[in-house]
Amino acid sequence: QVQLQESGPGLVKPSQTLSLTCTVSGGSISSGGFYWSWIRQHPGKGLEWIGYIYYTGSTFYNPSLKSRVTISVDTSKNHFSLKLSSVTAADTAVYYCARDYGGNSGLDLWGQGTLVSVSS
Amino acid sequence: DIQMTQSPSSLSGSVGDRVTITCRASQRIASYLNWYQQKPGKAPKLLIYTASNLQTGVPSRFSGSGSGSDFTLTISSLQPEDFATYYCQQTYSTPHTFGQGTKLEIK
């Protein structure tokens, strides 16, 4: 079955760029119909939608992060990525990748999440 | 952005109880409302999509209803494994905002 797995550094210094990759296994990221998403959760808090990408490269971002966020897809590697620039301690969170069918039918498949801490 | 407000923020229940959680959107969102369950240290799990559709594999004691701006999640008979935090999410327009969560605890 299809699985998602986040990977990337668990510690990032302030002002640097957070970079995470979500590898899709058991299925093709190019199969169509799915929007590949990033969501984060600050410690002890609720969920924040960061944005998503279609396999063609079309992206939609949360306006609150838009100036700092880039989501990209690499169909040859069957993965998609998140870059968040100029990070501060407020970006410390668990970052999840997830799959959204149709872009509006809910996030039906999630990675396990990865904690990224921003600290010097 | 569309604001999603859940109530209550927390509630307690006993095994076998019927519980209802509500979610209100700041504007009409048709039926583009999803419900998730999250347990500590785990990723959220989709329970209900587009207001009333039960995700595959989710027990039938979970149900969702509503349209427009007011929605409910109902658990017909609480089981021990249902004690968790529940979130609603609108997918009518981006950004796809979440409610603040409802923590369901054992009484």
Side-chain angles (χ1 to χ4, degrees):
Chain A
Q1 72 278 23
V2 181
Q3 293 183 312
L4 306 181
Q5 178 67 59
E6 305 91 348
S7 59
L11 181 64
V12 181
K13 288 182 166 49
S15 79
Q16 294 191 342
T17 296
L18 177 160
S19 295
L20 295 174
T21 293
C22 182
T23 299
V24 180
S25 60
S28 172
I29 204 169
S30 304
S31 59
F34 297 106
Y35 287 73
W36 303 96
S37 309
W38 288 99
I39 300 92
R40 70 180 182 178
Q41 186 168 36
H42 294 102
K45 302 297 184 182
L47 300 163
E48 181 179 23
W49 186 84
I50 298 173
Y52 59 26
I53 190 166
Y54 197 58
Y55 78 95
T56 56
S58 296
T59 53
F60 298 83
Y61 298 138
N62 191 323
S64 69
L65 299 169
K66 188 173 184 178
S67 64
R68 299 193 293 129
V69 170
T70 302
I71 298 176
S72 59
V73 63
D74 187 333
T75 55
S76 67
K77 295 182 179 178
N78 220 36
H79 72 211
F80 62 107
S81 300
L82 169 71
K83 291 188 185 298
L84 182 65
S85 63
S86 305
V87 298
T88 69
D91 295 308
T92 293
V94 174
Y95 287 78
Y96 294 100
C97 61
R99 183 181 77 175
D100 183 330
Y101 181 69
N104 57 14
S105 295
L107 299 154
D108 70 331
L109 184 66
W110 295 66
Q112 64 185 23
T114 187
L115 174 63
V116 179
S117 297
V118 178
S119 174
S120 56
Chain B
D1 298 3
I2 297 174
Q3 307 302 315
M4 306 302 295
T5 304
Q6 289 181 232
S7 60
S9 296
S10 65
L11 77 158
S12 60
S14 301
V15 173
D17 284 353
R18 178 184 181 91
V19 298
T20 298
I21 299 168
T22 64
C23 181
R24 174 165 287 177
S26 61
Q27 65 185 73
R28 297 181 68 85
I29 57 171
S31 295
Y32 292 102
L33 189 286
N34 312 302
W35 289 99
Y36 300 86
Q37 176 193 68
Q38 187 178 33
K39 296 182 179 180
K42 299 295 187 182
K45 172 186 174 183
L46 180 65
L47 299 175
I48 303 286
Y49 62 96
T50 51
S52 60
N53 294 284
L54 192 67
Q55 176 68 359
T56 302
V58 174
S60 59
R61 63 180 180 272
F62 291 93
S63 64
S65 64
S67 65
S69 59
D70 292 302
F71 302 86
T72 60
L73 172 70
T74 300
I75 309 173
S76 61
S77 178
L78 274 176
Q79 298 302 301
E81 61 268 30
D82 299 338
F83 294 95
T85 300
Y86 294 83
Y87 294 93
C88 62
Q89 180 207 26
Q90 65 82 18
T91 47
Y92 179 78
S93 66
T94 57
H96 289 173
T97 42
F98 292 88
Q100 81 279 15
T102 296
K103 188 173 184 178
L104 177 54
E105 298 176 303
I106 300 173
K107 186 180 290 183

